[in-house]
């Protein structure tokens, strides 16, 4: 018995961190993916030739727990998504593994079920998370998350006091450049850092709400294709994220360089290093500037393709 799957990474255009507290956010699936090949095994479960272990394969281990099976598997993954760079590699590995296991065991492949399970896996491993990365990786296209249910509603995810309504979002074709700072960071501790600030400070709560307002404006301006205004809102969103303490000097350097040729630029994903994103008509120039400043540039395209599986 064999199955294969792949799932895309993502970039968050607006609203990271604030989305954990129920504010809206917008993200886009990108044309870089994690591929998974799984077959059943006799003795033990292995990942890329090594016995599965909690330290290195925490997401995959939780995916197997979710499937609720005694079977052993030979799991092989491949990726052209940089990890620790804000592009949702842990969500993509989770969605791809869950999809592949469900395909292999002939379980239903409904997007909503996979997105919900993937969120729970991420939440368990990271200790805190919103469903943005996992829902984007499952559905592809672009996703808008909000407390309120709106047009193009896909599914609803609940955790503790938070409710996230997940929507399909049409956005115009835009040119984006990612700059990986090379300073790799894990999402969990950054989300925790913001949580501590949020819990003890009204100022932090206001910043989170202000980010929410920016996302609402940006969603409208993207529909109007007013890229100048979208860029200004990206810059504002970045300033607020810096105040929350999730930027990094290397990211600031890349963002300053990218802004010379961009409508706007901001960190994307959890931050603390990781990556920045620029909205531009001059992708090559931005990429050169990022490279000159010691970052790794990726000119990216959005993708409509979410999780795909086959036997
Ligand atoms: C990470 O890509 C996005 C965060 O908002 C965390 C989350 O939503 O799970 C920082």
């Amino acid at each position: 018995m064999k199955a294969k799957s792949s799932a895309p990474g993502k970039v968050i255009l607006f609203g990271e961190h604030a989305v954990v507290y129920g504010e809206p956010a917008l993200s886009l699936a990108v044309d870089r993916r994690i591929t998974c090949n799984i077959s059943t095994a006799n003795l033990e479960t292995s990942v890329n030739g090594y016995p599965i272990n909690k330290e290195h394969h925490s997401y995959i281990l939780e995916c197997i727990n979710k499937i609720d099976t005694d079977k052993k598997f030979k799991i092989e993954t491949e990726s052209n998504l940089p990890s620790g760079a804000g592009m949702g590699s842990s969500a993509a590995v989770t969605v791809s593994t869950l999809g592949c296991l469900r395909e292999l065991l002939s379980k239903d492949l409904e997007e909503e079920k996979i997105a919900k399970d993937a969120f729970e896996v991420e939440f368990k491993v990271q200790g805190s998370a919103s469903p943005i990365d996992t829902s984007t990786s499952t559905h592809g296209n672009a996703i808008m998350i909000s407390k309120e249910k709106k047009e193009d509603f896909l599914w609803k995810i609940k955790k503790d006091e938070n409710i996230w309504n997940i929507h399909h979002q049409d956005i115009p074709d835009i040119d984006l450049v990612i700059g990986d700072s090379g300073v790799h960071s894990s999402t969990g501790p950054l989300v925790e850092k913001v949580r501590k600030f949020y819990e003890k400070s009204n100022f932090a709560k206001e910043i989170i709400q202000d980010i929410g307002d920016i996302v609402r404006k940006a969603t409208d301006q993207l529909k109007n294709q007013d890229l100048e205004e979208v860029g200004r809102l990206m810059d504002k969103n970045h300033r607020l994220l810096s105040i929350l303490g999730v930027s990094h000097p290397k990211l600031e350097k890349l963002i300053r360089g990218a802004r010379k040729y961009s409508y706007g630029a901001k960190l994307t994903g959890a931050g603390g290093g990781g990556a920045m994103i620029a909205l531009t008509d001059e992708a090559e120039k931005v990429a050169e500037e990022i490279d000159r400043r010691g970052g790794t540039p990726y000119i990216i395209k959005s993708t409509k393709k979410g999780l795909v599986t086959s036997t």
Side-chain angles (χ1 to χ4, degrees), residues 81-86 180-187 190 248 271-275 296 298:
L81 247 185
S83 74
D180 183 354
S181 67
V183 181
H184 286 183
S185 56
S186 306
T187 302
L190 284 152
H248 185 278
T296 307
Y298 300 93

Side-chain angles (χ1 to χ4, degrees), residues 286-299:
V286 173
E288 272 167 34
E289 194 64 36
I290 289 170
D291 186 50
R292 226 169 48 75
R293 289 174 177 243
T296 307
Y298 300 93
I299 297 177

Side-chain angles (χ1 to χ4, degrees), residues 10-12 15-21 25 86-91 119 122-123 126 128-134 145 164 187-188 190-191 194 241 246 267-271:
K10 66 87 192 50
V11 289
I12 296 185
E16 49 275 271
H17 287 290
V19 67
V20 175
Y21 306 93
M87 290 174 75
S89 57
S90 52
F119 165 65
E122 238 197 13
F123 196 95
Q126 289 176 193
S128 198
S130 81
I132 193 161
D133 292 12
T134 38
I145 292 201
W164 293 279
T187 302
L190 284 152
V191 171
V194 174
L241 287 164
V246 293
L267 73 80
T268 183

Side-chain angles (χ1 to χ4, degrees), residues 232-267:
R232 275 192 287 275
L233 291 166
M234 284 172 86
D235 293 350
K236 272 194 182 170
N237 192 163
H238 180 73
R239 220 169 298 134
L240 296 176
L241 287 164
S242 308
I243 299 172
L244 287 179
V246 293
S247 190
H248 185 278
K250 263 198 107 173
L251 267 183
E252 293 295 328
K253 190 169 161 193
L254 302 186
I255 288 170
R256 273 199 304 278
R259 279 188 182 146
K260 292 193 215 166
Y261 307 108
S262 304
Y263 294 106
K266 61 182 275 295
L267 73 80

Side-chain angles (χ1 to χ4, degrees), residues 21 59 73 115 131 173 178 207 218-219 271 274 306:
Y21 306 93
Y59 292 94
F73 304 101
D173 283 336
I178 300 274
I207 293 174
T219 310

